[in-house]
Amino acid sequence: MDFIDIIGLFAGTCVTISTIPQIFKVWKTKKVKDISLKTFSILTFGILVWVIYGILKNDLPIIITNSVSLCLNMLMVYFIIYYEKEN
């Protein structure tokens, strides 16, 4: 792994962990009124395309960070749908 890959992993990690505080807040409060399902759905789809791109380019930093981000964003979409029905 070279320096450019390390930069890619660092950048991807920052973007990936940015969703975690929102997930914990929704999980704790069970409130999603002000969170846009459309925004998170489009973001999740975009991340899926990044994973596909990373696979096609055989770019491990893109594959790893976006795969984790995809899972986290899918969880957020699930929470929005699930908790929206409860309220």
Side-chain angles (χ1 to χ4, degrees):
M1 187 175 297
D2 61 10
F3 185 67
I4 294 172
D5 287 337
I6 292 169
I7 291 172
L9 280 171
F10 178 72
T13 300
C14 289
V15 172
T16 298
I17 64 173
S18 69
T19 309
I20 293 174
Q22 187 68 61
I23 290 171
F24 277 123
K25 184 176 182 180
V26 167
W27 186 34
K28 187 176 179 181
T29 65
K30 299 182 179 22
K31 294 181 181 174
V32 294
K33 181 181 173 214
D34 296 325
I35 300 173
S36 170
L37 175 60
K38 193 177 292 187
T39 298
F40 269 93
S41 296
I42 294 167
L43 177 61
T44 301
F45 178 74
I47 293 168
L48 173 63
V49 176
W50 270 111
V51 171
I52 294 167
Y53 174 79
I55 291 169
L56 294 172
K57 296 275 291 181
N58 198 28
D59 191 322
L60 204 53
I62 291 175
I63 296 167
I64 292 170
T65 58
N66 283 289
S67 293
V68 174
S69 189
L70 179 63
C71 292
L72 291 172
N73 279 279
M74 286 172 53
L75 178 62
M76 190 64 197
V77 168
Y78 169 78
F79 279 167
I80 293 169
I81 293 168
Y82 182 78
Y83 290 130
E84 205 170 66
K85 289 180 183 176
E86 285 191 353
N87 294 326

